[in-house]
Structure formats: structure tokens, C-alpha cells
């Protein structure tokens, strides 16, 4: 399979090139040049397959031409070594819990998949020979969640080194512990600045000729095809589990609601639909960052500076995967509106949703999932069955959740283990020359 750029001014790339580059040379996003439909027989027996078996079939449709079956099966099996249970919250509304992975957030799957895929390409190149040219270096700027998923996804993967840049003092202790305590091939850089400064350092590094001649650099956010595409597994999994509990007698009634920031997750769902997955429509649930919502209302896309909210992993003012959605729908606003509804909630509405759901059902939502639950509550038709993606474990936001609900939720052992670890980080001035010379000396 070849990958083209949404900007249309870069040559097509192989999967390996697309993964190693992240962004296309014309600053566009890579898209697979076709989307394979899965056969009806697959959907007939989907509820009898394990999550791993099912995901392998989905992965093969995208990556089968580039990765041999045995290796791809290994990559998928290793990536999905945890459950994503579907919980009935109330009549007609289900939560697909995507937070049982290593860092308790849905990004674990994409990060791990990308790590294993990159490792596969590096090793295929140097079978029986010592590795030529050294390592691939992943640079990632984080305001919290992406850094932990990427660091843990790549931990111990030989041939790859990860540099996580985060703003000093602006990341919660729980989050910080998930990428500063790992050691090995993970280096945490504590930048004296804000998140945007971290992001600017990373962007400048990708554009620096001397640095790129010295070392192979790539990114691991959802612009990377290997990060976002595997998230399609979740949507097939939601459908398979609903079929198992026989809740969707008529699959044409399934509505999936996705708490969205950079829109990588929901874009993977749109790909799943193109592959034949019977989803009637999607909902994109946003916090106060309402750029996509406004686009649906007006047809105008107006990026804004991001606003800080309670659901901070969705504080995005210019969602990077919007370009992919436009491309998928050939720029047709009416077609996008037909498939996706929008919702936007202020922090007050998010708090209200968390309380209402907890009081009525006992289910504890995190602030991101709360946007999803509320959108279903408000916009689901009586004949429809709704699934929202619970994108993070509420314990990742324990202080906020306890404060809002008056609870004292338990911290899973996995999270406690991170917090017991010893912090190792490198202090970094907010200065590109300092960052560059640090990297040049590695
Ligand atoms: C990253 C993230 C989101 C947003 O996902 P996108 O793919 O960027 O739309 C939502 N919730 C949580 C908890 C996240 O970490």
C-alpha cells in the first residue's frame, strides 16, 4: 500500500517512509491510497473472534502488503495484551473502556503498535548484520497523556530512543511519573517553558538540516499513520461486543460517540466505517474547544488558540486530523455532517454530566468520557444504541474526579507503581540551540 499526502504536493510514500517521517514533506498528512472493504463473512463471525484475532484481520487490510502475516500477528498480539470491556451504563448507553492498558489511556494501543512496527522495519533491514546507521529517535512534546503512552509503548524496544519534552511544573505528578521513572531508552526533558514551547522545540528539530543529517528523527503523535490507524480496532471491538450481548438486533442503529481533541481517534472510526463496519453515525464530543462543532454548524473552519479545560487531553484549537476528515469526504461539508454530529461542553457542563451519571447509575466518568456520555444523553434517538469511548481511567484525574463527585476513587496498582519510581529527567532551557546541542551529543 502506498500513502499520499493530503496536501497533494509530495510524492507517494511507502508505509515505512510514512511512519518514519510522520508528516509528509509538503506538511500534509499521509493517507492510505485505498481502503479495503472487509467481507460480510467477517462481520457475521466477528463476535466469535478474540479481540486479537479480529484486530489482525483489520490490520491486514491496511498493513498486509507491507508486513508478513506472522510478524503482523505478533505486533497485534503484543499491542492488544489487555481488555477493552464494554459496560452497560444505562438503557441504550454503553461505555467502551479503553483505559486498561499500561498507562490507562486509549493512546497506549497506537503508541505500542507504532513502536512494534518501527522495530519490525529496522530489524528487517539488518537481519544478521549489525544495525547500520544507529537508532531511530522519536521526539514527542507532551502536556501529559501522549508522553506517557509513547514512552511506555516504546520502552525497551531496541533500536529506538524516545525523547519526551514536557513543561516543567505544568504536568500532574501522576502524569509526570509515567514517563520520568522509566529510564532505559526513554529520556525525559523537563523544559523551562509551557507546552507550546516544547512543541516548538520539536518542530524546529524536524526542520533542522544539520540535526537530521546527524540522526533519524520521527514523531509519534496522531499525525503518524502507525499511531492513529490501529485505533480502528476499537470500533470493530465495540460492534463485536454489542453483538455478543445481542443489544444491537439491528446493527444499523449503532451510534459511536468519541471524545475528541486532535480527532485521530474518531478518524480511525471513520476508516472502520469505510471498511464496512455498520455504524449509523458518529458523534464528536468536544470540551470548550469548539472549532469542529462550529465547522459542522457553518461550514467554516476557523482554528483558535486552545482553551484550558477540565478535559485537558482535548484542549486543541486546530485539530491535526481535520485534514484527514476533509480528505476522506472529498471536502463535502454535507457528507461530513451526515456522518458526524458535534457537541461542545464547558467545564460546568462536564462537571454536571459527571455528577448526573454518577448519581443515576453509579458509573464514574473521567472528564473526557463525560463529554461523550453527555452527547449521547442529549443527541441519541430512541431507536438508537449508543457507545461512547471512555478514553482515560478516572484515577488519572483523581483529584478533579474526587473533588467533583465527593469520592475517593482507588488508584490502580499500575499507576501506584509509577508513582513509587525514581524521577529521572534532564533540565532543559527553552532554547533551541541548547536542545540541538544536547541531541547532537547523544
Ligand atoms: C488524546 C485524548 C483524547 C483525544 O483524542 P484525539 O485522538 O486527539 O481526538 C481524548 N481523551 C483522552 C483521555 C486523551 O488522552
Amino acid at each position: 500500500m502506498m500513502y499520499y499526502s493530503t496536501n497533494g504536493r509530495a510524492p507517494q510514500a511507502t508505509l515505512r517512509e510514512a511512519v518514519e517521517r510522520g508528516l509528509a514533506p509538503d506538511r500534509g498528512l499521509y493517507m492510505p491510497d485505498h481502503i479495503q472493504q472487509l467481507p460480510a463473512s467477517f462481520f457475521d463471525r466477528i463476535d466469535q473472534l478474540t479481540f486479537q484475532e479480529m484486530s489482525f484481520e483489520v490490520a491486514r487490510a491496511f498493513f498486509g502488503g507491507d508486513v508478513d502475516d506472522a510478524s503482523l500477528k505478533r505486533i497485534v498480539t503484543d499491542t492488544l495484551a489487555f481488555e477493552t470491556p464494554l459496560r452497560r451504563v444505562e438503557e441504550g448507553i454503553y461505555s467502551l473502556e479503553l483505559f486498561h492498558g499500561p498507562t490507562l489511556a486509549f493512546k497506549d494501543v497506537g503508541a505500542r503498535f507504532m513502536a512494534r512496527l518501527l522495530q519490525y522495519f529496522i530489524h528487517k533491514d539488518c537481519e544478521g548484520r549489525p544495525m547500520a546507521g544507529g537508532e531511530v529517535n522519536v521526539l514527542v512534546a507532551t502536556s501529559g497523556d501522549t508522553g506517557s503512552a509513547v514512552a511506555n509503548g516504546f520502552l525497551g524496544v531496541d533500536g529506538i530512543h524516545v525523547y519526551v519534552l514536557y513543561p516543567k511544573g505544568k504536568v500532574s505528578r501522576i502524569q509526570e511519573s509515567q514517563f520520568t521513572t522509566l529510564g532505559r531508552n526513554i529520556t525525559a526533558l523537563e523544559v523551562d517553558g509551557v507546552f507550546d514551547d516544547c512543541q516548538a522545540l520539536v518542530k524546529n528539530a524536524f526542520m533542522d538540516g544539520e540535526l537530521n543529517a546527524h540522526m533519524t528523527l520521527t514523531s509519534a503523535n496522531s499525525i503518524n499513520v502507525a499511531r492513529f490507524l490501529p485505533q480502528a480496532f476499537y470500533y470493530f471491538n465495540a460492534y463485536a461486543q454489542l453483538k455478543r450481548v445481542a443489544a444491537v438486533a439491528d446493527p444499523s442503529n449503532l451510534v459511536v460517540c468519541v471524545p475528541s481533541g486532535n480527532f485521530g481517534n474518531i478518524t480511525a472510526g471513520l476508516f472502520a466505517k469505510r471498511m464496512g463496519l455498520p455504524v449509523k453515525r458518529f458523534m464528536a464530543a468536544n470540551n470548550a474547544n469548539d472549532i469542529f462543532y462550529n465547522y459542522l454548524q457553518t461550514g467554516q473552519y476557523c482554528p483558535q488558540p486552545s482553551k484550558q479545560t477540565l478535559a485537558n487531553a482535548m484542549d486543541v484549537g486546530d485539530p491535526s486530523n481535520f485534514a484527514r476528515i476533509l480528505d476522506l469526504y472529498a471536502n463535502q461539508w454535507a457528507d461530513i455532517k451526515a456522518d458526524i454530529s458535534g457537541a461542545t461542553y464547558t467545564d460546568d457542563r462536564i462537571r454536571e454530566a459527571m455528577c448526573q451519571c454518577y448519581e443515576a447509575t453509579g458509573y464514574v466518568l473521567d472528564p473526557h468520557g463525560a463529554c461523550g456520555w453527555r452527547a449521547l444523553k442529549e443527541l441519541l434517538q430512541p431507536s438508537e444504541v449508543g457507545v461512547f469511548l471512555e478514553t482515560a481511567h478516572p484515577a488519572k484525574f483523581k483529584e478533579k474526579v474526587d473533588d467533583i463527585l465527593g469520592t475517593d476513587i482507588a488508584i490502580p496498582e499500575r499507576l501506584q507503581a509509577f508513582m513509587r519510581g525514581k524521577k529521572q529527567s534532564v533540565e532543559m532551557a527553552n532554547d533551541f540551540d541548547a536542545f540541538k546541542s544536547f541531541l547532537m551529543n547523544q
Side-chain angles (χ1 to χ4, degrees), residues 104-107 145-146 222 227-228 231 258-267 286 311-316 319-321 366 368-369 389-393 396-397:
L104 309 176
F106 84 91
K107 291 185 179 77
D145 268 7
T146 304
S222 62
R227 252 282 314 269
F228 96 93
Q231 289 165 6
V258 189
S260 295
N262 265 320
F263 283 70
N265 207 6
I266 197 170
T267 301
N286 284 121
N312 62 6
M314 312 193 319
D315 293 351
V316 180
S320 45
N321 285 284
D366 96 290
H368 306 81
L389 306 188
E390 217 341 334
T391 47
H393 194 296
K396 285 196 96 165
F397 306 93

Side-chain angles (χ1 to χ4, degrees), residues 172-174 310 354 394-407 409 411 419:
S172 80
R173 214 173 71 75
I174 291 185
L310 205 51
M354 291 169 69
K396 285 196 96 165
F397 306 93
K398 178 172 167 57
E399 274 175 31
K400 292 173 184 170
V401 172
D402 284 345
D403 185 45
I404 293 165
L405 299 181
T407 47
I409 55 174
I411 302 182
M419 293 168 76

Side-chain angles (χ1 to χ4, degrees), residues 291-331:
I291 297 84
F292 186 77
Y293 177 84
N294 290 335
Y295 167 77
L296 292 177
Q297 304 304 308
T298 64
Q300 304 295 314
Y301 180 73
C302 309
Q304 300 283 328
S306 64
K307 298 185 186 115
Q308 269 195 24
T309 77
L310 205 51
N312 62 6
M314 312 193 319
D315 293 351
V316 180
D318 184 6
S320 45
N321 285 284
F322 182 69
R324 285 198 168 106
I325 297 180
L326 278 185
D327 192 85
L328 208 51
Y329 287 87
N331 250 308

Side-chain angles (χ1 to χ4, degrees), residues 384-438:
E384 295 173 332
V385 176
V387 174
F388 68 95
L389 306 188
E390 217 341 334
T391 47
H393 194 296
K396 285 196 96 165
F397 306 93
K398 178 172 167 57
E399 274 175 31
K400 292 173 184 170
V401 172
D402 284 345
D403 185 45
I404 293 165
L405 299 181
T407 47
D408 180 14
I409 55 174
I411 302 182
E413 169 50 34
R414 218 168 324 148
L415 213 46
Q416 291 180 35
F418 283 120
M419 293 168 76
R420 284 193 300 268
K422 185 173 159 18
K423 174 174 160 180
Q424 313 167 50
S425 68
V426 178
E427 301 237 358
M428 181 64 58
N430 176 22
D431 172 53
F432 182 66
D433 290 333
F435 178 47
K436 178 175 168 180
S437 76
F438 173 79

